[in-house]
Amino acid sequence: MIKLKRSTGLTIISLFISFFSFAQVQQIRVSRVDSMANKPQPLQIIDWKDMALNFDRTIYDFNATGKYWPMVWMDSTGKNFGQPIMGMYTAVGDVRQGKLHNKGMFHEALANMGSVLGATLVGLDKSKQNGLNYVGMLKNYFNKDTGWDIMMNNTAPEVALLGGGYGRDWWYDVYPNLLFYAIYDQYPHEPDFDFIGKSIAEKFFKADSILNGNYNYSYFDYGQMKPFRTQICAQPDAAAGHAYVLYAAHKKYGDLRYLKGAISAMKALESQQINPTYELLMPFGAYMAARMNAEQGTNFDVQKMLNWTFDGTAVCREGWGFLVGNWNGIDISGTVGSTVDHGGYAFLMNTFDAAWPLVPLVRYQQGYAHAIGKWMLNAVNASRLFYPQYMPKDHQTIPEHASVTKGVIAYEGFAKSSTFDSLYQSLKAPVAQGDGPKWVPGQNPEVSQFSVYGSAHAGIFGSMVKNTEVNGILRLDLLATDFYRQEAYPTFLYYNPYRTAKSIFFKIPAGKVKKGRTDIYDLVSQKFIVRNLASGSKVKIPALESVVLVCVPTGAVKIVQDNKLLFGGVVVDYNYGKN
Protein backbone atom coordinates (compact mmCIF):
# COMPACT_ATOMS: atom_id res chain seq x y z
CA MET A 1 0.00 0.00 0.00
CA ILE A 2 1.07 3.61 -0.61
CA LYS A 3 -0.09 5.89 2.14
CA LEU A 4 -0.32 9.63 1.69
CA LYS A 5 -1.13 12.22 4.23
CA ARG A 6 -2.24 15.57 2.85
CA SER A 7 -1.86 18.75 4.85
CA THR A 8 -3.78 21.80 3.65
CA GLY A 9 -3.55 23.93 6.79
CA LEU A 10 -7.28 23.40 7.37
CA THR A 11 -7.65 19.66 7.03
CA ILE A 12 -5.63 16.49 7.34
CA ILE A 13 -6.75 13.76 5.02
CA SER A 14 -5.36 10.24 4.90
CA LEU A 15 -5.55 8.52 1.57
CA PHE A 16 -4.88 4.83 1.05
CA ILE A 17 -4.17 3.78 -2.48
CA SER A 18 -3.39 0.23 -3.50
CA PHE A 19 0.07 0.23 -4.99
CA PHE A 20 -0.57 -3.03 -6.78
CA SER A 21 -3.56 -1.64 -8.66
CA PHE A 22 -1.32 0.87 -10.45
CA ALA A 23 -0.18 0.18 -14.00
CA GLN A 24 3.45 0.42 -12.97
CA VAL A 25 6.03 1.48 -15.56
CA GLN A 26 8.26 -1.54 -15.99
CA GLN A 27 11.63 -0.80 -14.46
CA ILE A 28 14.66 -1.56 -16.62
CA ARG A 29 17.59 -3.12 -14.87
CA VAL A 30 21.15 -1.87 -15.24
CA SER A 31 23.29 -4.83 -14.27
CA ARG A 32 26.14 -2.75 -12.87
CA VAL A 33 23.73 -0.95 -10.57
CA ASP A 34 22.25 -4.29 -9.48
CA SER A 35 25.69 -5.10 -8.05
CA MET A 36 25.72 -1.97 -5.87
CA ALA A 37 24.48 -1.95 -2.29
CA ASN A 38 20.82 -1.09 -1.82
CA LYS A 39 21.86 1.00 1.16
CA PRO A 40 25.61 1.69 1.16
CA GLN A 41 27.60 1.59 4.40
CA PRO A 42 28.65 3.53 6.27
CA LEU A 43 25.80 5.81 5.20
CA GLN A 44 26.40 9.55 5.52
CA ILE A 45 24.86 12.11 3.20
CA ILE A 46 26.56 15.48 3.46
CA ASP A 47 25.03 18.83 2.46
CA TRP A 48 26.32 19.25 -1.09
CA LYS A 49 24.74 22.65 -1.60
CA ASP A 50 26.57 23.90 1.47
CA MET A 51 29.81 22.35 0.15
CA ALA A 52 29.41 24.14 -3.18
CA LEU A 53 28.66 27.49 -1.54
CA ASN A 54 31.63 27.13 0.79
CA PHE A 55 33.87 26.24 -2.15
CA ASP A 56 32.84 29.40 -3.96
CA ARG A 57 33.31 31.78 -1.04
CA THR A 58 36.64 30.19 -0.07
CA ILE A 59 38.23 29.77 -3.50
CA TYR A 60 37.08 33.09 -5.00
CA ASP A 61 39.09 35.07 -2.47
CA PHE A 62 42.03 36.93 -3.95
CA ASN A 63 43.17 37.84 -0.44
CA ALA A 64 43.08 34.34 1.04
CA THR A 65 45.98 33.60 3.35
CA GLY A 66 47.95 30.45 4.05
CA LYS A 67 50.60 28.43 2.25
CA TYR A 68 49.59 27.82 -1.38
CA TRP A 69 46.78 30.36 -1.11
CA PRO A 70 45.09 32.20 -2.78
CA MET A 71 43.87 29.69 -5.35
CA VAL A 72 42.98 32.35 -7.91
CA TRP A 73 44.73 35.17 -9.73
CA MET A 74 44.10 37.51 -12.66
CA ASP A 75 45.52 36.66 -16.08
CA SER A 76 45.91 39.91 -18.03
CA THR A 77 47.31 38.48 -21.28
CA GLY A 78 43.97 39.10 -23.00
CA LYS A 79 43.93 36.03 -25.22
CA ASN A 80 41.00 35.83 -27.68
CA PHE A 81 39.18 38.72 -26.00
CA GLY A 82 40.94 41.86 -24.83
CA GLN A 83 40.00 41.45 -21.20
CA PRO A 84 41.48 39.90 -18.07
CA ILE A 85 40.33 36.46 -16.98
CA MET A 86 40.55 34.85 -13.59
CA GLY A 87 42.93 31.93 -13.36
CA MET A 88 42.28 29.06 -10.95
CA TYR A 89 44.69 26.38 -9.83
CA THR A 90 44.02 22.91 -11.20
CA ALA A 91 45.57 21.35 -8.12
CA VAL A 92 46.93 22.87 -4.92
CA GLY A 93 50.48 24.15 -5.39
CA ASP A 94 50.87 23.21 -9.07
CA VAL A 95 54.23 24.83 -9.93
CA ARG A 96 53.16 25.58 -13.50
CA GLN A 97 50.36 27.86 -12.41
CA GLY A 98 49.77 31.16 -10.73
CA LYS A 99 50.46 34.72 -11.74
CA LEU A 100 54.24 34.29 -11.74
CA HIS A 101 54.43 31.20 -13.95
CA ASN A 102 53.86 30.90 -17.70
CA LYS A 103 52.77 34.55 -17.82
CA GLY A 104 49.83 33.61 -15.64
CA MET A 105 48.25 31.95 -18.68
CA PHE A 106 48.07 28.35 -17.53
CA HIS A 107 44.63 27.68 -16.10
CA GLU A 108 41.97 25.27 -17.28
CA ALA A 109 38.37 25.64 -18.36
CA LEU A 110 37.54 22.40 -16.54
CA ALA A 111 38.17 24.21 -13.26
CA ASN A 112 37.10 27.75 -14.12
CA MET A 113 33.97 26.93 -16.11
CA GLY A 114 33.09 24.09 -13.74
CA SER A 115 33.21 26.43 -10.77
CA VAL A 116 31.02 29.04 -12.49
CA LEU A 117 28.46 26.42 -13.46
CA GLY A 118 28.50 24.78 -10.03
CA ALA A 119 28.05 28.06 -8.16
CA THR A 120 25.28 29.17 -10.50
CA LEU A 121 23.37 25.93 -10.03
CA VAL A 122 23.25 26.50 -6.26
CA GLY A 123 21.89 30.02 -6.67
CA LEU A 124 24.83 32.40 -7.05
CA ASP A 125 25.00 35.01 -9.80
CA LYS A 126 28.56 34.79 -11.08
CA SER A 127 28.00 37.58 -13.60
CA LYS A 128 28.02 40.19 -10.84
CA GLN A 129 29.87 38.93 -7.81
CA ASN A 130 31.83 41.44 -5.78
CA GLY A 131 31.98 43.75 -8.76
CA LEU A 132 33.35 41.16 -11.17
CA ASN A 133 31.76 39.28 -14.07
CA TYR A 134 33.22 35.79 -13.89
CA VAL A 135 30.77 34.58 -16.53
CA GLY A 136 31.95 37.10 -19.11
CA MET A 137 35.57 36.24 -18.36
CA LEU A 138 34.99 32.72 -19.66
CA LYS A 139 34.89 34.11 -23.20
CA ASN A 140 38.69 33.99 -23.22
CA TYR A 141 38.51 30.20 -23.56
CA PHE A 142 36.84 30.70 -26.95
CA ASN A 143 39.88 30.15 -29.16
CA LYS A 144 39.26 32.57 -32.01
CA ASP A 145 42.94 33.62 -32.18
CA THR A 146 43.83 30.12 -33.41
CA GLY A 147 40.88 29.85 -35.78
CA TRP A 148 39.39 26.90 -33.94
CA ASP A 149 36.43 29.07 -32.87
CA ILE A 150 35.23 26.75 -30.11
CA MET A 151 35.65 26.77 -26.36
CA MET A 152 38.82 24.97 -25.30
CA ASN A 153 40.48 23.90 -22.07
CA ASN A 154 43.08 26.68 -22.28
CA THR A 155 43.11 30.17 -23.73
CA ALA A 156 46.12 29.62 -26.00
CA PRO A 157 48.28 26.81 -27.41
CA GLU A 158 51.41 28.23 -25.73
CA VAL A 159 50.35 26.60 -22.48
CA ALA A 160 48.01 23.92 -23.79
CA LEU A 161 50.63 21.20 -23.91
CA LEU A 162 51.19 21.64 -20.18
CA GLY A 163 47.77 20.14 -19.59
CA GLY A 164 45.20 18.13 -21.49
CA GLY A 165 43.81 18.49 -24.95
CA TYR A 166 44.55 20.91 -27.74
CA GLY A 167 44.51 18.69 -30.73
CA ARG A 168 45.54 15.35 -29.32
CA ASP A 169 42.94 14.17 -26.82
CA TRP A 170 39.46 14.76 -28.21
CA TRP A 171 37.35 14.88 -25.04
CA TYR A 172 39.41 17.81 -23.72
CA ASP A 173 38.46 19.81 -26.82
CA VAL A 174 34.78 18.81 -26.80
CA TYR A 175 33.85 18.98 -23.12
CA PRO A 176 34.43 22.73 -22.56
CA ASN A 177 31.70 23.30 -25.15
CA LEU A 178 29.21 21.26 -23.13
CA LEU A 179 30.17 23.35 -20.11
CA PHE A 180 29.70 26.52 -22.14
CA TYR A 181 26.25 25.55 -23.33
CA ALA A 182 25.19 24.71 -19.78
CA ILE A 183 26.41 28.12 -18.59
CA TYR A 184 24.79 29.81 -21.60
CA ASP A 185 21.46 28.27 -20.55
CA GLN A 186 21.85 29.97 -17.19
CA TYR A 187 23.09 33.31 -18.59
CA PRO A 188 21.27 33.68 -21.93
CA HIS A 189 21.84 37.43 -22.17
CA GLU A 190 25.59 37.50 -21.52
CA PRO A 191 27.22 39.68 -24.23
CA ASP A 192 28.95 37.70 -27.02
CA PHE A 193 27.53 34.36 -25.83
CA ASP A 194 25.12 34.30 -28.77
CA PHE A 195 27.99 34.71 -31.21
CA ILE A 196 30.06 32.07 -29.41
CA GLY A 197 27.18 29.61 -29.17
CA LYS A 198 26.44 29.87 -32.90
CA SER A 199 30.11 29.53 -33.81
CA ILE A 200 30.45 26.36 -31.75
CA ALA A 201 27.30 24.91 -33.27
CA GLU A 202 28.50 25.64 -36.80
CA LYS A 203 31.88 24.05 -36.14
CA PHE A 204 30.33 20.95 -34.60
CA PHE A 205 27.75 20.64 -37.37
CA LYS A 206 30.41 20.90 -40.08
CA ALA A 207 32.65 18.47 -38.22
CA ASP A 208 29.86 15.91 -38.01
CA SER A 209 29.20 16.33 -41.73
CA ILE A 210 32.87 15.75 -42.53
CA LEU A 211 33.09 12.74 -40.22
CA ASN A 212 29.96 11.35 -41.92
CA GLY A 213 29.28 8.68 -39.32
CA ASN A 214 32.91 7.75 -38.58
CA TYR A 215 34.13 9.17 -35.27
CA ASN A 216 37.01 6.70 -34.90
CA TYR A 217 39.71 9.31 -34.45
CA SER A 218 41.96 10.59 -31.67
CA TYR A 219 40.83 14.17 -32.20
CA PHE A 220 39.36 16.62 -34.66
CA ASP A 221 41.19 19.81 -35.66
CA TYR A 222 38.39 22.40 -35.69
CA GLY A 223 40.73 24.92 -37.35
CA GLN A 224 41.68 22.77 -40.34
CA MET A 225 38.36 20.88 -40.05
CA LYS A 226 40.12 17.53 -40.35
CA PRO A 227 40.14 14.42 -38.13
CA PHE A 228 43.42 12.85 -37.02
CA ARG A 229 44.72 9.66 -35.47
CA THR A 230 47.67 9.74 -33.09
CA GLN A 231 49.24 7.52 -30.46
CA ILE A 232 46.17 8.28 -28.33
CA CYS A 233 43.50 5.77 -29.18
CA ALA A 234 40.30 6.72 -30.97
CA GLN A 235 37.54 8.42 -28.97
CA PRO A 236 34.30 7.79 -30.89
CA ASP A 237 32.27 8.76 -27.82
CA ALA A 238 33.07 12.33 -28.85
CA ALA A 239 29.92 11.83 -30.92
CA ALA A 240 27.94 12.04 -27.67
CA GLY A 241 29.45 15.44 -26.97
CA HIS A 242 28.68 16.62 -30.50
CA ALA A 243 25.10 15.40 -30.15
CA TYR A 244 24.62 17.18 -26.82
CA VAL A 245 25.93 20.51 -28.10
CA LEU A 246 24.06 20.34 -31.40
CA TYR A 247 20.79 19.43 -29.74
CA ALA A 248 21.21 22.29 -27.25
CA ALA A 249 21.93 24.61 -30.18
CA HIS A 250 18.81 23.35 -31.95
CA LYS A 251 16.69 24.06 -28.88
CA LYS A 252 18.33 27.46 -28.47
CA TYR A 253 18.24 28.69 -32.06
CA GLY A 254 15.56 26.51 -33.68
CA ASP A 255 17.89 25.56 -36.54
CA LEU A 256 16.86 22.16 -37.95
CA ARG A 257 20.39 21.60 -39.29
CA TYR A 258 21.58 21.26 -35.72
CA LEU A 259 18.88 18.70 -34.98
CA LYS A 260 19.97 16.79 -38.07
CA GLY A 261 23.57 16.93 -36.85
CA ALA A 262 22.62 15.73 -33.37
CA ILE A 263 20.76 12.75 -34.82
CA SER A 264 23.68 12.01 -37.16
CA ALA A 265 26.15 12.05 -34.25
CA MET A 266 23.92 9.77 -32.19
CA LYS A 267 23.67 7.30 -35.07
CA ALA A 268 27.45 7.29 -35.29
CA LEU A 269 27.70 6.59 -31.58
CA GLU A 270 25.08 3.87 -31.59
CA SER A 271 26.75 2.11 -34.53
CA GLN A 272 29.86 1.30 -32.50
CA GLN A 273 30.46 -2.43 -32.17
CA ILE A 274 32.46 -2.22 -28.93
CA ASN A 275 32.13 0.01 -25.87
CA PRO A 276 33.63 3.36 -26.98
CA THR A 277 33.69 5.00 -23.53
CA TYR A 278 36.77 7.16 -22.99
CA GLU A 279 36.35 9.80 -20.25
CA LEU A 280 33.25 11.91 -19.58
CA LEU A 281 31.01 11.88 -22.61
CA MET A 282 29.17 8.55 -22.70
CA PRO A 283 26.61 9.50 -20.00
CA PHE A 284 25.56 12.37 -22.27
CA GLY A 285 24.97 9.85 -25.05
CA ALA A 286 22.56 7.92 -22.84
CA TYR A 287 20.76 11.12 -21.88
CA MET A 288 20.50 12.28 -25.48
CA ALA A 289 19.13 8.89 -26.53
CA ALA A 290 16.35 9.09 -23.93
CA ARG A 291 15.58 12.76 -24.54
CA MET A 292 15.49 12.63 -28.32
CA ASN A 293 13.41 9.46 -28.23
CA ALA A 294 10.90 11.33 -26.06
CA GLU A 295 10.95 14.68 -27.83
CA GLN A 296 11.77 13.76 -31.44
CA GLY A 297 10.39 10.26 -31.82
CA THR A 298 13.77 8.65 -32.51
CA ASN A 299 14.48 5.10 -31.40
CA PHE A 300 18.00 5.16 -29.99
CA ASP A 301 19.09 2.30 -27.73
CA VAL A 302 19.17 3.88 -24.26
CA GLN A 303 19.96 0.59 -22.59
CA LYS A 304 23.00 0.00 -24.78
CA MET A 305 24.41 3.41 -23.96
CA LEU A 306 23.71 3.08 -20.25
CA ASN A 307 25.49 -0.26 -20.21
CA TRP A 308 28.44 1.30 -22.01
CA THR A 309 28.38 4.09 -19.43
CA PHE A 310 28.30 1.85 -16.35
CA ASP A 311 29.85 -1.49 -17.20
CA GLY A 312 33.58 -0.81 -17.24
CA THR A 313 33.96 -2.76 -20.49
CA ALA A 314 35.62 0.05 -22.42
CA VAL A 315 38.41 -1.22 -24.66
CA CYS A 316 40.45 1.85 -25.60
CA ARG A 317 40.31 3.38 -22.12
CA GLU A 318 40.47 -0.05 -20.57
CA GLY A 319 37.89 -0.63 -17.87
CA TRP A 320 36.57 2.93 -17.74
CA GLY A 321 33.16 3.01 -16.12
CA PHE A 322 31.45 2.97 -12.72
CA LEU A 323 33.11 1.28 -9.76
CA VAL A 324 31.42 -1.32 -7.61
CA GLY A 325 32.69 -2.65 -4.33
CA ASN A 326 33.04 -2.59 -0.59
CA TRP A 327 36.67 -2.09 0.36
CA ASN A 328 37.43 -2.95 3.97
CA GLY A 329 33.90 -2.17 5.09
CA ILE A 330 33.57 1.03 3.03
CA ASP A 331 31.17 1.09 0.08
CA ILE A 332 32.72 2.92 -2.87
CA SER A 333 30.14 1.94 -5.48
CA GLY A 334 28.80 4.49 -7.92
CA THR A 335 31.97 6.50 -8.31
CA VAL A 336 33.40 6.91 -11.80
CA GLY A 337 36.81 6.13 -13.22
CA SER A 338 38.96 3.12 -14.05
CA THR A 339 37.60 -0.18 -12.79
CA VAL A 340 40.97 -1.89 -13.35
CA ASP A 341 43.78 0.57 -12.54
CA HIS A 342 45.35 -0.73 -9.29
CA GLY A 343 42.10 -2.53 -8.61
CA GLY A 344 39.98 0.55 -9.30
CA TYR A 345 40.64 4.31 -9.35
CA ALA A 346 37.69 6.69 -8.99
CA PHE A 347 37.72 10.43 -9.72
CA LEU A 348 35.63 13.15 -8.13
CA MET A 349 34.94 15.33 -11.17
CA ASN A 350 33.88 12.36 -13.27
CA THR A 351 31.45 11.29 -10.55
CA PHE A 352 29.92 14.76 -10.17
CA ASP A 353 29.60 15.26 -13.90
CA ALA A 354 27.99 11.89 -14.62
CA ALA A 355 25.00 13.06 -12.56
CA TRP A 356 24.51 16.09 -14.82
CA PRO A 357 22.98 14.03 -17.69
CA LEU A 358 21.96 10.81 -15.94
CA VAL A 359 19.60 12.28 -13.34
CA PRO A 360 17.41 14.23 -15.82
CA LEU A 361 17.38 11.17 -18.10
CA VAL A 362 14.65 9.78 -15.83
CA ARG A 363 12.22 12.54 -16.94
CA TYR A 364 12.31 11.15 -20.45
CA GLN A 365 12.41 7.45 -19.61
CA GLN A 366 11.05 6.76 -16.13
CA GLY A 367 11.76 3.07 -16.56
CA TYR A 368 15.21 3.88 -15.19
CA ALA A 369 13.95 5.54 -12.00
CA HIS A 370 14.99 2.67 -9.70
CA ALA A 371 18.39 2.22 -11.36
CA ILE A 372 19.35 5.91 -11.39
CA GLY A 373 17.96 6.46 -7.89
CA LYS A 374 19.98 3.56 -6.50
CA TRP A 375 23.14 4.58 -8.36
CA MET A 376 22.88 8.16 -7.14
CA LEU A 377 22.50 7.10 -3.53
CA ASN A 378 25.72 5.11 -3.84
CA ALA A 379 27.55 7.86 -5.71
CA VAL A 380 26.43 10.65 -3.37
CA ASN A 381 27.33 8.63 -0.29
CA ALA A 382 30.77 7.55 -1.54
CA SER A 383 31.74 10.97 -2.93
CA ARG A 384 32.18 12.46 0.54
CA LEU A 385 35.17 10.11 0.88
CA PHE A 386 37.17 12.18 -1.61
CA TYR A 387 37.31 14.92 1.05
CA PRO A 388 39.93 14.57 3.79
CA GLN A 389 37.50 15.50 6.57
CA TYR A 390 35.29 12.52 5.68
CA MET A 391 37.82 9.84 4.73
CA PRO A 392 39.44 8.06 7.72
CA LYS A 393 43.01 9.32 8.12
CA ASP A 394 44.51 5.86 7.74
CA HIS A 395 43.06 5.75 4.21
CA GLN A 396 44.70 9.01 3.05
CA THR A 397 48.10 9.61 1.52
CA ILE A 398 48.65 13.02 3.15
CA PRO A 399 46.19 13.53 6.03
CA GLU A 400 48.76 15.75 7.75
CA HIS A 401 48.20 18.35 5.01
CA ALA A 402 44.40 18.34 5.17
CA SER A 403 44.24 21.86 6.60
CA VAL A 404 45.46 23.31 3.30
CA THR A 405 42.11 22.35 1.74
CA LYS A 406 40.13 24.59 4.12
CA GLY A 407 37.40 21.97 4.00
CA VAL A 408 36.42 22.62 0.37
CA ILE A 409 39.08 20.88 -1.73
CA ALA A 410 39.02 17.12 -2.12
CA TYR A 411 41.59 14.59 -3.19
CA GLU A 412 41.50 14.07 -6.94
CA GLY A 413 40.40 10.48 -6.45
CA PHE A 414 40.69 7.30 -4.46
CA ALA A 415 42.03 3.90 -5.48
CA LYS A 416 41.98 0.36 -4.19
CA SER A 417 45.73 0.62 -3.72
CA SER A 418 48.12 3.53 -4.12
CA THR A 419 48.94 4.29 -7.74
CA PHE A 420 52.29 5.69 -6.62
CA ASP A 421 54.11 2.42 -7.04
CA SER A 422 56.81 3.21 -4.48
CA LEU A 423 54.79 5.38 -2.09
CA TYR A 424 51.90 4.90 0.35
CA GLN A 425 51.94 1.14 -0.18
CA SER A 426 50.97 0.32 3.39
CA LEU A 427 47.62 2.08 3.11
CA LYS A 428 44.53 -0.09 2.87
CA ALA A 429 41.69 0.45 0.44
CA PRO A 430 40.21 2.89 -0.32
CA VAL A 431 43.27 5.14 -0.65
CA ALA A 432 42.49 8.85 -1.13
CA GLN A 433 45.12 10.37 -3.40
CA GLY A 434 45.70 12.41 -6.55
CA ASP A 435 47.95 12.48 -9.60
CA GLY A 436 49.29 16.03 -9.22
CA PRO A 437 52.84 15.06 -8.20
CA LYS A 438 53.14 12.95 -11.37
CA TRP A 439 52.34 15.89 -13.64
CA VAL A 440 55.66 17.60 -12.85
CA PRO A 441 57.80 14.89 -11.21
CA GLY A 442 60.12 16.17 -8.54
CA GLN A 443 58.60 19.64 -8.61
CA ASN A 444 54.90 19.47 -7.82
CA PRO A 445 54.41 19.19 -4.06
CA GLU A 446 52.57 16.41 -2.26
CA VAL A 447 49.60 18.73 -1.75
CA SER A 448 48.99 18.79 -5.50
CA GLN A 449 47.06 15.57 -4.82
CA PHE A 450 44.26 17.90 -3.69
CA SER A 451 42.09 18.68 -6.71
CA VAL A 452 40.68 22.16 -7.16
CA TYR A 453 39.32 21.31 -10.59
CA GLY A 454 37.29 18.34 -9.39
CA SER A 455 36.02 20.08 -6.29
CA ALA A 456 34.85 23.00 -8.44
CA HIS A 457 31.99 20.84 -9.79
CA ALA A 458 30.35 20.21 -6.40
CA GLY A 459 27.43 22.43 -7.38
CA ILE A 460 26.15 19.73 -9.71
CA PHE A 461 25.36 17.54 -6.70
CA GLY A 462 24.45 20.64 -4.71
CA SER A 463 21.74 21.64 -7.17
CA MET A 464 19.98 18.29 -7.36
CA VAL A 465 20.64 16.33 -4.14
CA LYS A 466 18.90 16.82 -0.83
CA ASN A 467 18.59 14.30 1.97
CA THR A 468 15.15 13.76 3.47
CA GLU A 469 14.07 13.06 7.04
CA VAL A 470 14.69 9.39 6.26
CA ASN A 471 18.46 9.15 5.96
CA GLY A 472 19.36 7.63 2.62
CA ILE A 473 16.16 8.54 0.81
CA LEU A 474 17.33 11.37 -1.39
CA ARG A 475 15.27 14.00 -3.14
CA LEU A 476 16.74 14.29 -6.63
CA ASP A 477 15.69 17.34 -8.64
CA LEU A 478 15.28 16.14 -12.23
CA LEU A 479 15.14 19.67 -13.65
CA ALA A 480 18.32 21.07 -12.11
CA THR A 481 20.62 20.11 -14.99
CA ASP A 482 18.07 19.46 -17.72
CA PHE A 483 19.25 22.40 -19.80
CA TYR A 484 17.37 23.82 -22.81
CA ARG A 485 14.31 21.83 -21.80
CA GLN A 486 10.75 22.66 -22.64
CA GLU A 487 8.62 24.17 -19.90
CA ALA A 488 8.27 21.63 -17.11
CA TYR A 489 6.68 21.32 -13.70
CA PRO A 490 8.92 20.58 -10.67
CA THR A 491 9.89 16.91 -10.77
CA PHE A 492 11.65 14.87 -8.08
CA LEU A 493 12.90 11.30 -7.83
CA TYR A 494 12.90 9.43 -4.51
CA TYR A 495 14.43 5.96 -4.19
CA ASN A 496 13.82 3.90 -1.05
CA PRO A 497 16.89 1.76 -0.26
CA TYR A 498 15.27 0.03 2.70
CA ARG A 499 13.72 -3.43 2.74
CA THR A 500 10.56 -2.02 4.27
CA ALA A 501 8.29 0.75 3.03
CA LYS A 502 9.21 4.22 4.26
CA SER A 503 7.32 7.51 4.41
CA ILE A 504 8.78 10.88 3.53
CA PHE A 505 7.13 14.28 3.65
CA PHE A 506 6.88 15.77 0.19
CA LYS A 507 6.79 19.54 0.42
CA ILE A 508 5.72 21.68 -2.51
CA PRO A 509 8.95 23.50 -3.52
CA ALA A 510 8.81 27.17 -2.63
CA GLY A 511 9.20 29.55 -5.54
CA LYS A 512 8.93 26.81 -8.17
CA VAL A 513 5.16 26.39 -8.23
CA LYS A 514 2.66 29.07 -9.23
CA LYS A 515 0.15 30.16 -6.62
CA GLY A 516 -2.79 27.86 -6.17
CA ARG A 517 -3.35 24.21 -5.43
CA THR A 518 -1.19 21.41 -6.74
CA ASP A 519 -1.85 17.82 -7.79
CA ILE A 520 0.97 15.28 -7.48
CA TYR A 521 1.51 12.88 -10.37
CA ASP A 522 3.83 9.87 -10.04
CA LEU A 523 5.68 9.01 -13.25
CA VAL A 524 6.36 5.46 -12.07
CA SER A 525 2.75 4.50 -11.35
CA GLN A 526 1.48 6.96 -13.99
CA LYS A 527 -1.25 8.06 -11.58
CA PHE A 528 -2.13 11.10 -9.53
CA ILE A 529 -1.48 10.12 -5.94
CA VAL A 530 -2.87 13.23 -4.28
CA ARG A 531 -4.87 16.22 -5.50
CA ASN A 532 -5.67 19.75 -4.44
CA LEU A 533 -2.57 20.06 -2.27
CA ALA A 534 -1.66 23.36 -0.61
CA SER A 535 1.61 22.66 1.16
CA GLY A 536 2.82 19.10 1.58
CA SER A 537 1.93 15.44 1.85
CA LYS A 538 3.30 12.27 3.37
CA VAL A 539 4.23 9.74 0.71
CA LYS A 540 4.94 6.10 1.47
CA ILE A 541 7.51 4.57 -0.87
CA PRO A 542 7.55 0.78 -1.23
CA ALA A 543 10.70 -1.12 -0.29
CA LEU A 544 13.53 -0.89 -2.81
CA GLU A 545 11.40 1.12 -5.22
CA SER A 546 11.01 4.67 -6.44
CA VAL A 547 8.51 7.40 -7.03
CA VAL A 548 8.95 10.32 -9.42
CA LEU A 549 6.69 13.12 -8.28
CA VAL A 550 5.55 15.93 -10.58
CA CYS A 551 3.80 19.05 -9.25
CA VAL A 552 0.86 19.73 -11.61
CA PRO A 553 -1.36 22.79 -11.12
CA THR A 554 -4.80 21.76 -9.93
CA GLY A 555 -7.39 22.25 -12.66
CA ALA A 556 -4.88 22.32 -15.54
CA VAL A 557 -6.45 21.07 -18.77
CA LYS A 558 -5.45 17.53 -19.70
CA ILE A 559 -4.43 16.53 -23.22
CA VAL A 560 -3.01 13.21 -24.42
CA GLN A 561 -1.08 13.51 -27.66
CA ASP A 562 1.31 10.99 -29.26
CA ASN A 563 1.78 9.10 -25.99
CA LYS A 564 2.50 12.34 -24.17
CA LEU A 565 0.41 13.45 -21.21
CA LEU A 566 0.11 17.23 -21.00
CA PHE A 567 -1.51 19.48 -18.43
CA GLY A 568 -1.84 23.17 -19.18
CA GLY A 569 0.14 22.61 -22.37
CA VAL A 570 3.13 21.24 -20.43
CA VAL A 571 4.35 17.67 -20.93
CA VAL A 572 4.16 15.75 -17.65
CA ASP A 573 4.73 12.21 -18.94
CA TYR A 574 6.53 11.45 -22.20
CA ASN A 575 5.59 7.77 -22.09
CA TYR A 576 1.91 7.84 -21.23
CA GLY A 577 0.04 4.76 -22.36
CA LYS A 578 3.17 2.96 -23.54
CA ASN A 579 3.23 0.47 -20.64
Side-chain angles (χ1 to χ4, degrees), residues 197-209 242-243 245-251 253-265 292:
K198 287 180 178 176
S199 175
I200 293 167
E202 286 297 314
K203 286 283 187 174
F204 277 29
F205 176 73
K206 290 175 184 176
D208 177 79
S209 301
H242 272 194
V245 167
L246 287 169
Y247 195 70
H250 164 64
K251 301 293 278 189
Y253 302 116
D255 193 324
L256 290 175
R257 292 180 306 132
Y258 302 152
L259 174 59
K260 178 182 176 182
I263 292 173
S264 170
M292 286 202 285

Side-chain angles (χ1 to χ4, degrees), residues 10 82 242-243 405:
L10 298 175
H242 272 194
T405 71

Side-chain angles (χ1 to χ4, degrees), residues 310-322:
F310 279 88
D311 279 355
T313 56
V315 176
C316 163
R317 195 74 177 273
E318 183 186 1
W320 205 261
F322 287 46

Side-chain angles (χ1 to χ4, degrees), residues 80-96:
N80 303 304
F81 283 83
Q83 63 174 16
I85 178 175
M86 186 201 73
M88 178 181 292
Y89 276 87
T90 298
V92 174
D94 192 318
V95 297
R96 304 165 297 175

Side-chain angles (χ1 to χ4, degrees), residues 537-555:
S537 171
K538 271 198 171 184
V539 176
K540 182 177 281 188
I541 310 169
L544 304 178
E545 296 194 10
S546 303
V547 294
V548 180
L549 307 182
V550 187
C551 301
V552 180
T554 298

Side-chain angles (χ1 to χ4, degrees), residues 22 98 118 143 180 237 245 311 361 363 424 483 541 562 564:
F22 288 179
N143 275 236
F180 168 79
D237 63 341
V245 167
D311 279 355
L361 178 153
R363 282 195 66 226
Y424 317 117
F483 304 120
I541 310 169
D562 298 327
K564 296 180 177 69

Side-chain angles (χ1 to χ4, degrees), residues 265-272 299-302 304-305 308:
M266 286 298 294
K267 287 180 177 178
L269 180 66
E270 188 176 51
S271 71
Q272 294 296 309
N299 192 32
F300 293 116
D301 192 338
V302 180
K304 180 180 183 179
M305 295 185 194
W308 280 345

